[in-house]
Amino acid sequence: MSDRQQGNNGDRAVEELDKQAARAELAHLYKEMGRADEAYYNHDDPIMDDAAYDAMRRRLLAIEARFPELQGPDSPSLRVGAAPSERFEKVRHAVPMLSLGNAFDDRDVVEFIERIRRFLGLDEADELAITSEPKIDGLSISLRYEKGRLVQAATRGDGSEGEDVTRNIMTLKQVPQHVEAEDFPDVFELRGEVYMSHADFAALNERQKAAGEKVFANPRNAAAGSLRQLDPKITAQRPLKLFVYAWGEGEPLPGKTQMAVIESFKRWGFPVNPLMKINHSATELLEAYRIIEQQRAELPYDIDGVVYKVNRLDYQQRLGFVSRSPRWAIAHKFPAEKAVTRLLDIEIQVGRTGALTPVARLQPVTVGGVVVSNATLHNEDEIARKDLRIGDTVIVQRAGDVIPQVVEVVIERRPEDARPFVFPRFCPVCGAHAVREMHPSTGEPDKVRRCTGGLSCPAQIRERLAHFVSRDAFDIDGLGKKQIEAFLRWGLVKTPADLFTLERRDAESLDRLKNREGWGRKSAANLFAAINERRTISLDRFVYALGIRHVGATTAKLLARSYGTFGRLHEAVTGAADEDSEAWQELVNIDGIGPVVARALVEFFAEQHNEDVVAALLREVTPEEFVIEDMTQTAISGKTVVFTGKLERFSRAEAKDRAERLGAKVAGSVSKKTDYLVAGPGAGSKLKKAESLGVKVLSEEEWLALVSGDTES
Ligand code: IVH
């Protein structure tokens, strides 16, 4: 529907409306959009499709822009626009949808193979088969079948929770609605990539252009835009295709290798990529990569690399995962695409920890199908090393989802008036000194210059709050940078705890959130509900949300796993201030936590301000005790284990991984807190120490007997 056909004056252009007609039409739009919102949000029964709703909204905005004085306090334009993505039901994935680690060059591929061989303890003579297949540049999808019937399709989302796009997926011709095969499990999830072919993409854009509708930047965006339509009738008109290459919940699997399972998928009627093959060495993998790279230009769809996967599923199971990616697979990316443009300016952004990051403002340029107008410059040494000057012609590159980068200057094209950039010595936001700290052990200045303003710097406050509500932290729906910025401006929040008292304070305020710019009754209510939902939170998210330097999501999980409750973690860290103390020893003894992280933790809690912020937060929210997911108690849950000497049956890495999957903590050295020392041949000082402390010592066999009764999650 075009803007001209909307409302009760629908056929008149906005410029032709007089004030009276505009007033009448606005009243009509307020009513209709109100009805649509009510039906959608409160009755879960939309009376209007997205396109019609959007057309109304555009018309409304156009009229209000022309007659701002007519905008009423109840205007739908003052409500936070429900992005289409907020209008899909959420789906929790039974098995998380993970991402892949990346290899960028041949060396990374060789290391990938070596790492796997080492982990599995394979000899040179042992065969290790690895599949190769194109990495499809589309969007990943999970298809759930129950009793052979497609019951749910979900996007990846953040990996744990995606969006329900079942009705849209059902319009894809290549997706079987029923699977008859005898060996098709009762419950089974297939995973793959939805994409659009080059020809279909070009034809769609032609049609869009002719109809005066949005033109898509690349096939991937077109596929995403087409799948995420609220009206499946629109999806049905978009020629989306599918390749399946993985699976989620469901047993038994129809094969013992990656290849055998994928062949079964094909037999069951699912589209699989014909270029998948088996290889036996890094050399063969690199050969497969070169071949696919050469075919790339002729393929009818976009690919952005080659994916390698360990073929044997028992090996995959043993290899397991590191944070969000499998150890048994990797994506070998094609080299980044490059383009030439001009460096217009350099701006400084101030981050959560006060880091001053220079950002290049570029003459917009298309790189690999995406318009790039900013790129990171990392730090001041990088600017000096590349001798970047404002006005320079530069080469920029981007690969996949990574932030675009400035690679180098085209010196021959340097204009006479190109201006060197002077890196500021003061924070551009709060004016405090910006310094490069000395690295304690090397004596070298840190690469990063930091604002010393701490929490008196508005930029740091803003970034910390944004981090606090971000996806891996408190993950508060409807609260992003933009909203945080407004809350700060209005003086509504300063520290994380303020978010949790916002509703109470709002109820007593004369200046209610629902009446403020960008908000409305429903969006404010939704926000309070989203905040309240997070009053209990997992311990690792809580720790990560605090934004302690060097404590990312993985480290936060490690800390949560090691200490179990916030109280114990807090006690341990405050007790570790003295580096000669036992608490310090225990902290750095956690495998994966070194002195840098330990020091950052100690420093964080030594700061009274941080203690105050945390105490206020703990009055509002409860971090849950950390429980190891999906795990029944095992013989070693909660125990601290140390490995020493040579292990015969497993590599050290695999033994450690297995112990952790069964709920144990693995430490690097023996102390009073050690429960078991697993000692292989050649054990030396650790064994002596364990004996002197009376720690239980196990042989590898005894250890295996202890853990083998337990199932791994
Ligand atoms: S395997 C457990 N195979 O790449 C890992 N992924 O960075 C399962 N992708 O989200 C993924 N082509 O959307 C796999 N042949 C392929 C793929 C592929 C594209 C995407 C997928 C995933 C992302 C991982």
Side-chain angles (χ1 to χ4, degrees):
M1 212 177 308
S2 86
D3 289 357
R4 284 168 166 265
Q5 300 162 334
Q6 199 56 70
N8 55 356
N9 282 298
D11 42 15
R12 289 169 64 191
V14 171
E15 307 80 68
E16 289 163 24
L17 296 180
D18 61 20
K19 205 163 179 170
Q20 196 185 354
R23 184 178 288 120
E25 187 173 347
L26 282 180
H28 169 78
L29 287 169
Y30 287 11
K31 196 167 122 227
E32 285 305 303
M33 291 175 72
R35 246 169 30 92
D37 281 348
E38 170 78 8
Y40 180 78
Y41 287 109
N42 298 344
H43 303 291
D44 224 3
D45 185 17
I47 51 169
M48 200 181 284
D49 69 30
D50 233 12
Y53 187 89
D54 281 346
M56 278 197 172
R57 193 175 161 81
R58 279 200 302 273
R59 175 88 181 172
L60 174 86
L61 295 177
I63 299 175
E64 287 184 346
R66 187 149 173 249
F67 301 102
E69 68 280 14
L70 293 183
Q71 184 184 66
D74 55 340
S75 168
S77 65
L78 297 175
R79 296 197 279 270
V80 173
S85 65
E86 284 165 2
R87 298 176 133 220
F88 286 101
E89 287 292 320
K90 292 268 162 72
V91 176
R92 192 145 264 287
H93 298 301
V95 175
M97 290 181 79
L98 300 151
S99 52
L100 293 170
N102 290 322
F104 294 104
D105 55 27
D106 294 5
R107 184 74 232 144
D108 292 344
V109 177
V110 171
E111 276 168 13
F112 168 67
I113 301 291
E114 285 174 356
R115 216 164 37 235
I116 291 170
R117 285 191 160 277
R118 229 180 299 128
F119 190 98
L120 295 173
L122 299 183
D123 284 339
E124 259 171 51
D126 294 322
E127 177 179 292
L128 177 67
I130 312 266
T131 62
S132 55
E133 69 197 70
K135 182 166 191 296
I136 315 298
D137 197 6
L139 56 149
S140 44
I141 193 91
S142 184
L143 308 171
R144 186 179 176 87
Y145 290 80
E146 287 176 8
K147 303 215 178 320
R149 217 167 57 84
L150 175 63
V151 292
Q152 190 166 63
T155 60
R156 176 171 187 273
D158 64 2
S160 314
E161 201 177 65
E163 287 173 340
D164 187 335
V165 288
T166 314
R167 295 200 306 147
N168 303 36
I169 280 292
M170 283 183 165
T171 69
L172 268 68
K173 291 190 195 61
Q174 285 182 314
V175 176
Q177 312 262 329
H178 296 273
V179 181
E180 302 283 335
E182 254 177 26
D183 60 340
F184 194 76
D186 247 14
V187 171
F188 200 69
E189 287 177 6
L190 287 100
R191 288 175 176 179
E193 202 86 354
V194 169
Y195 68 95
M196 193 178 283
S197 76
H198 293 146
D200 289 336
F201 164 68
L204 171 64
N205 263 356
E206 284 293 312
R207 290 204 303 275
Q208 294 284 104
K209 208 185 295 167
E213 298 277 347
K214 177 185 160 89
V215 170
F216 295 100
N218 53 46
R220 186 180 186 283
N221 288 358
S226 301
L227 188 61
R228 298 172 80 257
Q229 286 287 336
L230 272 185
D231 181 359
K233 286 204 277 311
I234 300 182
T235 310
Q237 293 157 15
R238 305 278 174 84
L240 292 175
K241 292 204 163 77
L242 171 78
F243 281 125
V244 291
Y245 49 67
W247 54 92
E249 194 182 352
E251 273 178 335
L253 285 170
K256 289 190 169 7
T257 61
Q258 183 76 28
M259 195 56 137
V261 172
I262 298 300
E263 274 162 2
S264 298
F265 286 0
K266 186 172 177 194
R267 175 165 53 79
W268 289 343
F270 292 89
V272 302
N273 194 284
L275 302 180
M276 181 171 176
K277 72 184 271 299
I278 296 181
N279 313 274
H280 299 91
S281 64
T283 319
E284 282 184 31
L285 283 181
L286 293 172
E287 173 73 16
Y289 174 85
R290 302 265 127 73
I291 293 173
I292 291 179
E293 195 179 27
Q294 276 162 17
Q295 289 172 311
R296 185 181 185 188
E298 268 94 59
L299 289 179
Y301 46 85
D302 273 355
I303 63 174
D304 57 351
V306 178
V307 181
Y308 308 137
K309 299 172 185 166
V310 169
N311 196 34
R312 273 175 59 165
L313 301 186
D314 58 337
Y315 282 174
Q316 289 191 4
Q317 165 73 15
R318 280 173 60 189
L319 285 155
F321 300 86
V322 230
S323 40
R324 285 170 182 242
S325 328
R327 274 200 196 83
W328 45 265
I330 202 164
H332 189 175
K333 301 302 265 298
F334 292 133
E337 305 210 38
K338 295 184 182 163
V340 175
T341 188
R342 237 167 64 91
L343 176 61
L344 302 177
D345 201 358
I346 295 177
E347 283 172 20
I348 301 288
Q349 280 177 358
V350 184
R352 166 166 69 85
T353 58
L356 267 47
T357 306
V359 177
R361 300 283 173 231
L362 305 165
Q363 181 95 51
V365 63
T366 307
V367 193
V370 171
V371 179
V372 167
S373 45
N374 304 312
T376 174
L377 295 172
H378 304 288
N379 55 57
E380 59 188 289
D381 291 350
E382 278 292 297
I383 299 179
R385 192 177 65 77
K386 291 178 180 149
D387 185 25
L388 285 178
R389 307 206 186 159
I390 294 161
D392 267 338
T393 296
V394 293
I395 297 176
V396 290
Q397 72 173 30
R398 72 171 269 286
D401 293 335
V402 294
I403 306 167
Q405 294 177 320
V406 172
V407 191
E408 60 179 342
V409 175
V410 185
I411 272 292
E412 311 82 79
R413 295 222 219 142
R414 170 164 287 168
E416 276 190 9
D417 60 350
R419 216 160 23 92
F421 178 70
V422 184
F423 207 93
R425 298 291 188 267
F426 296 94
C427 171
V429 177
C430 73
H433 269 107
V435 300
R436 295 175 69 168
E437 291 162 14
M438 284 295 164
H439 194 281
S441 43
T442 62
E444 298 272 318
D446 192 1
K447 285 199 182 63
V448 177
R449 189 174 284 279
R450 282 175 208 279
C451 158
T452 54
L455 284 180
S456 64
C457 174
Q460 289 192 46
I461 297 179
R462 182 191 62 210
E463 295 301 317
R464 282 189 203 195
L465 283 168
H467 171 81
F468 183 83
V469 301
S470 67
R471 199 181 253 188
D472 288 338
F474 269 68
D475 190 22
I476 296 178
D477 248 3
L479 204 50
K481 253 193 197 161
K482 225 175 70 197
Q483 290 79 11
I484 295 270
E485 224 157 64
F487 286 3
L488 283 165
R489 214 170 40 240
W490 298 329
L492 293 178
V493 293
K494 254 205 169 115
T495 80
D498 297 339
L499 290 170
F500 292 92
T501 58
L502 188 60
E503 185 176 12
R504 258 176 273 154
R505 289 181 286 124
D506 188 65
E508 292 157 11
S509 153
L510 295 176
D511 222 350
R512 303 288 302 269
L513 180 61
K514 64 180 184 190
N515 300 326
R516 289 180 186 262
E517 193 192 329
W519 293 87
R521 192 169 50 80
K522 263 174 218 140
S523 54
N526 286 347
L527 175 72
F528 295 141
I531 292 174
N532 287 328
E533 231 175 78
R534 295 289 185 264
R535 284 187 186 270
T536 47
I537 184 129
S538 68
L539 178 57
D540 56 314
R541 278 179 181 268
F542 183 86
V543 172
Y544 172 71
L546 297 179
I548 303 168
R549 244 169 106 182
H550 306 297
V551 179
T554 309
T555 306
K557 221 178 206 138
L558 211 55
L559 290 165
R561 180 193 285 270
S562 300
Y563 292 102
T565 67
F566 185 74
R568 284 203 288 273
L569 170 66
H570 184 259
E571 192 186 345
V573 172
T574 44
D578 173 2
E579 295 195 8
D580 291 325
S581 67
E582 215 176 280
W584 170 267
Q585 266 316 317
E586 196 190 329
L587 189 57
V588 291
N589 209 0
I590 299 172
D591 211 22
I593 304 233
V596 173
V597 175
R599 234 165 258 143
L601 283 162
V602 167
E603 277 167 21
F604 181 88
F605 287 104
E607 184 87 47
Q608 188 54 43
H609 171 83
N610 291 334
E611 284 280 16
D612 295 345
V613 164
V614 171
L617 188 57
L618 285 173
R619 283 195 284 277
E620 301 296 331
V621 303
T622 314
E624 295 166 312
E625 178 154 4
F626 188 86
V627 268
I628 293 145
E629 292 156 21
D630 284 333
M631 205 168 328
T632 42
Q633 279 299 101
T634 72
I636 57 165
S637 342
K639 302 274 195 247
T640 300
V641 183
V642 176
F643 292 96
T644 188
K646 184 164 167 33
L647 301 179
E648 309 279 341
R649 302 273 297 270
F650 297 99
S651 67
R652 192 64 84 69
E654 184 172 4
K656 168 173 182 270
D657 190 66
R658 174 132 180 210
E660 282 174 353
R661 285 200 232 175
L662 292 171
K665 293 176 252 182
V666 178
S669 64
V670 176
S671 74
K672 275 197 308 213
K673 301 238 160 120
T674 310
D675 293 292
Y676 298 113
L677 176 76
V678 182
S685 61
K686 285 185 192 164
L687 179 57
K688 284 213 186 79
K689 183 152 187 205
E691 283 164 353
S692 75
L693 290 171
V695 168
K696 180 133 183 82
V697 178
L698 301 175
S699 69
E700 187 177 358
E701 290 308 313
E702 288 168 322
W703 156 255
L704 267 175
L706 183 66
V707 298
S708 59
D710 295 312
T711 48
E712 287 177 37
S713 69

